[in-house]
């Protein structure tokens, strides 16, 4: 493991409208993340390691963060009980990589059929060029369905 000098921070604001609609805007920065050119080197490293398994780890592996690069903008708009659907909420979020312009779109529908339970339908769509963080993902679209029960 390698160490990186610097700081990480998350700064944001939240606005709650009287209708219950919430807007969240956040900026995330991590000095340990990769720069755009370093991320391209990382993608080249992964491609060569896939074709030549004997390639040694030369420190190009990004930090163990959910995000590989340095700067992101997060936007989320959510609203409870859309269209009069009781116990449901709907939201749309996006994560923008500020270095390469790639985007993850994350709409979500949540339903709470009874106390201490939740069902979530959560598609995700990644947009960006092949050398961008979102565009280089193994799956450019996915659909998750979660069922949560609290005891």
């Amino acid at each position: 493991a390698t160490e990186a000098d610097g700081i990480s921070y998350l700064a944001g604001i939240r606005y709650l409208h009287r209708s219950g609609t919430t807007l969240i805007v956040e900026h995330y920065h991590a000095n340990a993340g990769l720069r755009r050119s370093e991320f391209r080197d990382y993608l080249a490293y992964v491609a060569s390691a896939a074709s030549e398994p004997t390639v040694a780890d030369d420190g190009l592996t990004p930090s163990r963060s959910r995000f590989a690069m340095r700067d992101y903008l997060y936007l989320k708009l959510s609203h409870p009980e859309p269209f009069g659907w009781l116990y449901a909420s709907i939201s749309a979020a996006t994560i923008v990589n500020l270095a390469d312009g790639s985007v993850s779109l994350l709409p979500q529908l949540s339903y709470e059929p009874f106390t201490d339970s939740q069902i979530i339908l959560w598609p995700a769509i990644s947009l960006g060029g092949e050398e961008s963080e979102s565009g280089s993902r193994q799956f450019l679209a996915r659909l998750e369905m979660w069922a949560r029960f609290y005891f």
Side-chain angles (χ1 to χ4, degrees):
T2 60
E3 293 185 24
D5 292 331
I7 60 171
S8 294
Y9 66 84
L10 176 67
I13 59 171
R14 177 179 180 233
Y15 172 75
L16 176 61
H17 189 266
R18 67 176 161 241
S19 68
T21 300
T22 302
L23 173 67
I24 298 171
V25 179
E26 297 175 336
H27 176 259
Y28 173 67
H29 172 80
N31 267 19
L34 301 175
R35 291 182 176 86
R36 189 171 183 183
S37 62
E38 294 170 330
F39 187 74
R40 283 190 196 128
D41 292 344
Y42 168 70
L43 291 176
Y45 168 77
V46 169
S48 67
S51 63
E52 298 177 37
T54 59
V55 173
D57 182 5
D58 55 6
L60 288 175
T61 304
S63 66
R64 291 187 178 254
S65 167
R66 181 174 179 179
F67 305 106
M69 295 176 76
R70 291 180 175 224
D71 288 291
Y72 298 88
L73 179 65
Y74 174 77
L75 302 167
K76 182 176 183 180
L77 188 62
S78 61
H79 185 74
E81 299 184 353
F83 316 111
W85 299 344
L86 292 177
Y87 313 116
S89 66
I90 193 168
S91 67
T94 185
I95 301 170
V96 179
N97 182 318
L98 296 175
D100 65 19
S102 63
V103 176
S104 293
L105 302 174
L106 309 159
Q108 184 179 48
L109 177 61
S110 173
Y111 177 63
E112 297 179 14
F114 48 89
T115 303
D116 296 330
S117 68
Q118 187 178 35
I119 298 170
I120 302 171
L121 184 62
W122 193 347
I125 302 164
S126 297
L127 305 170
E130 289 183 10
E131 290 188 347
S132 69
E133 183 176 5
S134 292
S136 66
R137 292 196 174 130
Q138 185 176 9
F139 299 105
L140 296 180
R142 74 174 191 271
L143 177 63
E144 295 181 16
M145 185 172 161
W146 298 357
R148 294 179 176 174
F149 301 95
Y150 303 96
F151 300 95

